[in-house]
Amino acid sequence: MVLNLWRRPATRVLLLGVLAALCVIGFMTVNVQTDWDFILEYRGNRLLALLLTAVAIGVSTVLFQTITHSRLLTPSLMGFDVLYVLVNTLALLVLGGGALAEWAPALRFALQVVLMVALALLLFRLLFSGSVRSLHLMILLGMLAGILFRELSALGARVLDPSEFGISTSVAQASFSRVNTELLGAAAMALVLGGLLLWRWWRCLDVLSLGRDIAINLGVAHGRVVLGIMAVIAVLVSVATVLVGPTLFFGLLIANLAYWFIGSQRHCWTLPASVLAGIICLVGGQLLLEHLLASTLPLALVIELAGGLLFIALLMRGVRQ
Amino acid sequence: MIETRGVSKRYGDVLVVDDVSLSIPRGGFTSIIGPNGAGKSTLLSMISRLTPMSAGSVQVDGMDVTRTPGNVLARRLSILRQDNQTSLRLTVRDLVAFGRFPHSGGRLTAEDLRHVDEAMDYLRLGDYRDRPIDELSGGQRQRAYVAMVMCQDTEYVLLDEPLNNIDMRFAVDMMQLLRRAADEKGKTVVVVLHDINFASCYSDHIIAMRQGRPAYQGSPQEIIRDEVLRDLYEMDIQVHEVNGQRVCTYYR
């Protein structure tokens, strides 16, 4: 009886939910010494940013792995995060910081998300149109794309004048421990928008994981749906990147933790589980490092190290098979 | 009726399917045979809109396969290719239930569940219903995928080499089952086969392809003959009549 209950994905998601809630409560209450108003605003904003990040990266990684049929490929590994950084720099360069710097940050963000969606779809079409068949080649190409985008945006940043440069680095240098809370509202709006878009294809997701041929056989307009989902992913990646900057292995870590812990491939379980795993890693990790261990070790370092080890383990397993 | 008009497929300079116009009648069991690289599988996947055509058009009961909405066609025609992903963590029953997606859009009704159980009984999968598909043997897994396609309950059932990787007993089982689907349920079964003896013993109609074109078409009596097969496969094949079945030997 208990064993049966334990095996159910619903029980496991609930368990993750409880754990995530404990992390959130701990994050807000541990070591509170000053007045509550300040804590609520300071920690509350950071908490909100971390939660939004967990949702954006958790959902976008699982979706990306569904449409690419891989447990190894993630948007950040394929260079999509850095693409957003590049878009951010390019927008300042092309439109001129003078005009753009005066725009409301939210409006600037919206413009960049639109640009990001267009470029991400283009990149996805280039990489996943069937011309690259080897997984390892794909990973290599993704990493190369990431390096290219990073160098390009660094080059672009050199040309910017100091005020524009300030705007551009706020994205490039954000991290888990230095979240960018300026755009919380806009990021939340974008997430809701992405969620609404995704709603249309919600029922197709499980079918898509059966592979292209079976999905088409079962009547899913495969090409269109995959591009639509890729657009949603691009929006989510923009949200995550504007909040915490580019990541590398974090998405891979939480998505695979979710698959492993849930033991089911259904998106109604894996998506929430991946988000909750993200919250536990980010909020719980921050709580542990900052307040309990009083360590100055950056959280990103710890998470990326764990994710990187997992990546190598997954790669090795893939090679052996 | 399935009708192809001037269907071609070109990969770079290689013409894999060359201007094929043929019709497959409604009802009965049609096999597509031919040597490797004759374009059998490519033709089948173009008919079922899995592969885009370089030229030509395909109509299924008057519906153009490239223009008809996917879910409308999915209630009329189903296709199963040979290698299906096996890394998924899904039970047999969940996989089979996906066959109802074109009808129910993911929300299973009592009617859908009846179809799922029937398809599993039909393929004798009852004992494995709660087993994950990645733990099944090749033959069992193949049967689970065929059950999914049966559960889709379409007029046309297209299968690409359904006998691949399964032993003689399961192969006979599978062919009998497909034959029954044609006889009892009135389905139109179209199968790409490598084993010409199975094609000979079970088909109503055989399409023999060579170099991207249908070289011969007709009943097994017309196609399973020494001179036709020798021309088709460019090797010596003797046809014998055993218990009313035409059987080929070509092993030595």
Side-chain angles (χ1 to χ4, degrees):
Chain A
M1 175 63 195
V2 174
L3 194 71
N4 253 337
L5 209 62
W6 170 241
R7 281 213 186 114
R8 300 234 318 255
T11 318
R12 301 201 163 196
V13 170
L14 195 70
L15 198 75
L16 283 179
V18 170
L19 212 57
L22 286 179
C23 290
V24 167
I25 294 170
F27 185 82
M28 290 303 285
T29 54
V30 170
N31 281 351
V32 174
Q33 280 148 359
T34 44
D35 65 307
W36 275 94
D37 282 348
F38 172 72
I39 288 293
L40 269 184
E41 194 187 325
Y42 177 67
R43 285 199 192 173
N45 273 345
R46 284 179 62 204
L47 176 69
L48 199 60
L50 291 179
L51 293 182
L52 292 178
T53 305
V55 173
I57 297 186
V59 172
S60 65
T61 307
V62 170
L63 292 180
F64 193 76
Q65 301 202 325
T66 296
I67 61 176
T68 57
H69 306 295
S70 161
R71 284 191 173 195
L72 216 51
L73 301 178
T74 69
S76 27
L77 275 176
M78 300 310 292
F80 285 93
D81 295 29
V82 201
L83 182 62
Y84 180 80
V85 177
L86 179 63
V87 165
N88 184 56
T89 314
L90 279 185
L92 289 170
L93 257 182
V94 173
L95 296 172
L100 205 62
E102 285 159 22
W103 284 30
L107 200 62
R108 208 163 58 215
F109 176 60
L111 174 81
Q112 285 165 1
V113 170
V114 172
L115 215 67
M116 170 70 182
V117 169
L119 285 178
L121 287 182
L122 203 68
L123 180 65
F124 184 75
R125 277 303 266 279
L126 274 178
L127 285 174
F128 292 92
S129 58
S131 48
V132 185
R133 297 208 174 270
S134 148
L135 179 71
H136 296 108
L137 187 60
M138 187 69 83
I139 293 170
L140 197 66
L141 281 176
M143 299 236 161
L144 281 178
I147 294 172
L148 178 71
F149 299 152
R150 189 169 295 124
E151 292 304 319
L152 277 179
S153 58
L155 184 72
R158 278 173 213 281
V159 191
L160 293 173
D161 72 45
S163 71
E164 296 164 351
F165 184 70
I167 298 175
S168 96
T169 48
S170 69
V171 170
Q173 290 179 357
S175 78
F176 294 140
S177 12
R178 279 223 323 235
V179 289
N180 186 358
T181 50
E182 185 193 24
L183 281 166
L184 274 182
M189 287 275 288
L191 267 192
V192 171
L193 193 81
L196 287 178
L197 262 174
L198 184 62
W199 189 249
R200 293 186 50 196
W201 300 298
W202 176 249
R203 294 194 178 281
C204 298
L205 289 178
D206 287 334
V207 178
L208 281 179
S209 55
L210 293 172
R212 173 186 176 274
D213 292 349
I214 292 183
I216 294 179
N217 168 51
L218 293 176
V220 172
H222 185 266
R224 223 181 51 217
V225 173
V226 164
L227 279 188
I229 291 177
M230 191 57 227
V232 173
I233 293 172
V235 173
L236 299 184
V237 168
S238 310
V239 169
T241 314
V242 83
L243 291 175
V244 300
T247 61
L248 203 51
F249 297 116
F250 176 59
L252 183 86
L253 181 71
I254 60 175
N256 279 287
L257 275 179
Y259 301 144
W260 166 76
F261 190 66
I262 296 297
S264 157
Q265 220 91 24
R266 299 245 163 203
H267 288 82
C268 60
W269 304 123
T270 52
L271 283 177
S274 169
V275 169
L276 291 171
I279 293 175
I280 294 169
C281 283
L282 283 184
V283 181
Q286 197 68 46
L287 172 71
L288 196 71
L289 280 180
E290 196 177 315
H291 296 294
L292 300 181
L293 299 179
S295 157
T296 49
L297 206 61
L299 176 64
L301 193 75
V302 179
I303 285 181
E304 298 295 8
L305 182 68
L309 288 175
L310 175 75
F311 177 72
I312 292 172
L314 285 174
L315 253 184
M316 297 294 278
R317 209 182 60 186
V319 169
R320 266 214 311 278
Q321 279 166 358
Chain B
M1 185 156 81
I2 296 174
E3 264 192 300
T4 74
R5 290 194 200 127
V7 170
S8 298
K9 181 69 192 179
R10 187 185 287 279
Y11 289 108
D13 290 336
V14 187
L15 202 55
V16 184
V17 172
D18 181 10
D19 193 22
V20 173
S21 300
L22 53 77
S23 58
I24 298 171
R26 201 170 167 151
F29 194 117
T30 301
S31 298
I32 304 177
I33 62 168
N36 284 337
K40 311 178 291 289
S41 296
T42 310
L43 180 64
L44 199 74
S45 65
M46 285 192 288
I47 289 175
S48 53
R49 54 140 164 35
L50 295 184
T51 305
M53 291 167 251
S54 304
S57 68
V58 173
Q59 299 209 324
V60 175
D61 288 345
M63 297 186 294
D64 188 305
V65 294
T66 52
R67 295 207 197 99
T68 309
N71 58 343
V72 174
L73 208 57
R75 291 193 287 264
R76 189 67 66 95
L77 173 144
S78 52
I79 167 81
L80 184 67
R81 280 178 120 169
Q82 32 181 336
D83 8 83
N84 295 294
Q85 245 194 321
T86 52
S87 58
L88 280 180
R89 206 86 198 140
L90 269 181
T91 63
V92 170
R93 194 175 169 285
D94 285 344
L95 177 72
V96 176
F98 272 115
R100 299 307 296 170
F101 186 78
H103 303 270
S104 62
R107 243 187 258 265
L108 295 178
T109 63
E111 164 82 0
D112 292 323
L113 292 175
R114 195 180 58 72
H115 275 282
V116 173
D117 287 334
E118 195 186 301
M120 280 194 297
D121 286 344
Y122 208 70
L123 280 127
R124 275 173 260 147
L125 286 164
D127 295 344
Y128 312 112
R129 53 187 300 144
D130 294 319
R131 289 267 294 279
I133 53 165
D134 55 347
E135 287 175 13
L136 299 181
S137 73
Q140 292 165 341
R141 196 181 304 129
Q142 179 74 338
R143 268 155 60 206
Y145 276 104
V146 173
M148 180 191 82
V149 168
M150 285 289 158
C151 191
Q152 206 175 329
D153 195 26
T154 52
E155 162 74 39
Y156 298 91
V157 180
L158 278 51
L159 302 157
D160 190 357
E161 296 185 30
L163 306 185
N164 245 13
N165 299 324
I166 61 180
D167 67 22
M168 285 181 285
R169 188 182 146 232
F170 281 137
V172 170
D173 248 24
M174 180 74 75
M175 291 301 278
Q176 281 177 348
L177 183 133
L178 295 173
R179 186 68 245 183
R180 258 168 59 210
D183 293 339
E184 294 168 10
K185 301 189 170 184
K187 299 200 178 299
T188 310
V189 180
V190 183
V191 183
V192 169
L193 283 179
H194 262 303
D195 189 323
I196 47 178
N197 286 333
F198 272 120
S200 162
C201 297
Y202 286 92
S203 313
D204 298 316
H205 187 72
I206 295 179
I207 297 169
M209 289 187 68
R210 188 183 52 196
Q211 291 170 356
R213 292 170 153 275
Y216 301 92
Q217 293 184 58
S219 64
Q221 285 77 18
E222 291 165 322
I223 305 296
I224 307 300
R225 303 161 77 99
D226 293 4
E227 63 275 19
V228 173
L229 294 177
R230 189 177 304 131
D231 180 47
L232 189 68
Y233 288 96
E234 292 171 347
M235 67 185 276
D236 265 337
I237 297 176
Q238 274 113 39
V239 177
H240 312 275
E241 181 127 354
V242 183
N243 298 335
Q245 301 170 29
R246 299 172 83 83
V247 180
C248 313
T249 55
Y250 48 85
Y251 299 101
R252 301 212 292 183

